[in-house]
Amino acid sequence: MDKALVGMCVNERRFVKIPPKLAYGSEGVSGVIPPNAVLHFDVLLIDLWNSEDEVQIQTYLKPEKCTRTIQVSDFVRYHYNGTFLDGTLFDSSHNRMRTYDTYVGIGWLIPGMDKGLLGMCVGEKRIITIPPSLAYGEEGDGKEIPGQASLVFDVALLDLHNPKDGITIENQQVPESCERKSQTGDFLRYHYNGTLLDGTLFDSSYSRNHTYDTYIGKGYVIAGMDEGLLGVCIGEKKRIIIPPHLGYGEEGRGKIPGSAVLVFDIHVIDFHNPLDSVNITTHYKPSNCTVLSKKGDYLKYHYNASLLDGTLLDSTISLGKTYNIVLGSGQVVLGMDMGLRDMCVGERRTVIIPPHLGYGEAGVEGEVPGSAVLVFDIELLELVSGLPDGYMFVWHGDVSPNLFEEIDKDNNGEVFLEEFSEYIQAQVDSGKGKLAPGFDSAKIVKNMFANQDRNGDGKITAEEFKLKDQEATEGHDEL
């Protein structure tokens, strides 16, 4: 048998015929093998090893890019099929649909696996053959693995990190112009693709067609992302690699397995700070700039509106008409109201408006994203001076001491809306009076009439009629 087994391969089958002189000779084995018996053996070789054998490694797939390999004390996640030399499967992480997660080189694994995993890259696949002396030895594991068994592991490495790792930044693309970098407390909007180290996608803001919006440096996101988003520029793109102790830890979350390294490819769309005010940059101001816009003025202007990343939202130029407002009347967002003040006709400026002075967290559905910083390029084309604060009509000269009688043309002691409207319009047409610009004149007059009609009976009497400066309290927009 010693001679017959030499040169055999695992899973090889031989029929061996042994004459008595090379077997049990003339004596045989009492009660089992008679003397001078020829022995016939049907042999199937299951396993073989040598006491001097070491771990054997056969790599059959290795990524072109391998920036890091497994070192002692690294934590790894890998899939494997475990078989004996004859191909019999004794264990598989694939069947459990869960990776095997462990430290390498510190005794958490059998010695042969500790050695066999060293030097692997993420994405690499190798076959590790381990002799029993570096596996479960003479005793086996007491379950599936018999004593003196050689083990074969087909391993695919999915992930690796070291507990001492910090975040890693790769493929950083910074815009040429970067006037401001993000700081703790800023509110940031960004797109991202989130993958595991093996490339498995677990989340994407692009698929939702909505940026991820969050404060940074305040613990609103995982620690690694909090760190990776500090110091970025608007428009910047980069890859942030986050070890699990700065990600979702041993437990994982949703589609993210426990102890997983996370890879985020991010694109910063915009950011601001809740303490930000409107930022105004003047590009052109006429030399003769004496009349400046103020609250109550009626303005006509052109604008291009965009996001910080350059995405165009709206343009009056493309529509071929100006945008017209009364400054300070709430007809535009507060930031635009602030940005249009102290401006002269012909001036051009850029106004950057943070969301809390723009459209806030909600934005405008289908037009302006929530929490978006807005950029307006503005040119003021026309300015009509408004009235003093609180007035909707003013006189250009002295007021007639017999004002009520002049309005009451039929001298019946009562003024109706039609009489009142005709008189006010006549004063405006003659240049003796002025209505607040930018509003519906009929509505202004109707409002003035209602304020004078104190009992609401649809007519004004001499007792009800008072001028603005005769009012005991403020709050009426009448004469």
Side-chain angles (χ1 to χ4, degrees), residues 188-252:
L188 195 141
R189 297 173 55 243
Y190 63 98
H191 271 304
Y192 70 87
N193 284 322
T195 63
L196 305 179
L197 268 186
D198 66 349
T200 301
L201 182 72
F202 62 80
D203 194 17
S204 173
S205 64
Y206 295 100
S207 65
R208 295 189 294 274
N209 197 30
H210 194 288
T211 55
Y212 192 81
D213 308 338
T214 183
Y215 289 97
I216 57 171
K218 296 281 192 178
Y220 284 81
V221 290
I222 55 176
M225 186 61 86
D226 243 354
E227 180 182 349
L229 291 174
L230 290 173
V232 298
C233 303
I234 292 167
E236 182 172 337
K237 296 180 180 180
K238 65 179 177 179
R239 171 170 290 179
I240 306 173
I241 302 174
I242 303 175
H245 52 275
L246 297 175
Y248 292 100
E250 295 181 2
E251 300 300 320

Side-chain angles (χ1 to χ4, degrees), residues 284-343:
Y284 172 74
K285 181 176 284 192
S287 56
N288 181 21
C289 183
T290 55
V291 179
L292 300 178
S293 58
K294 64 185 184 304
K295 182 178 180 181
D297 288 349
Y298 181 60
L299 308 181
K300 294 184 179 182
Y301 61 95
H302 271 312
Y303 71 82
N304 286 323
S306 62
L307 302 178
L308 275 182
D309 66 350
T311 301
L312 184 66
L313 298 176
D314 192 17
S315 173
T316 59
I317 299 172
S318 64
L319 295 174
K321 61 181 181 179
T322 59
Y323 199 78
N324 310 328
I325 67 158
V326 176
L327 196 58
S329 64
Q331 295 176 353
V332 289
V333 294
L334 181 57
M336 179 62 88
D337 212 307
M338 297 166 66
L340 287 168
R341 304 224 174 184
D342 298 320
M343 201 172 180

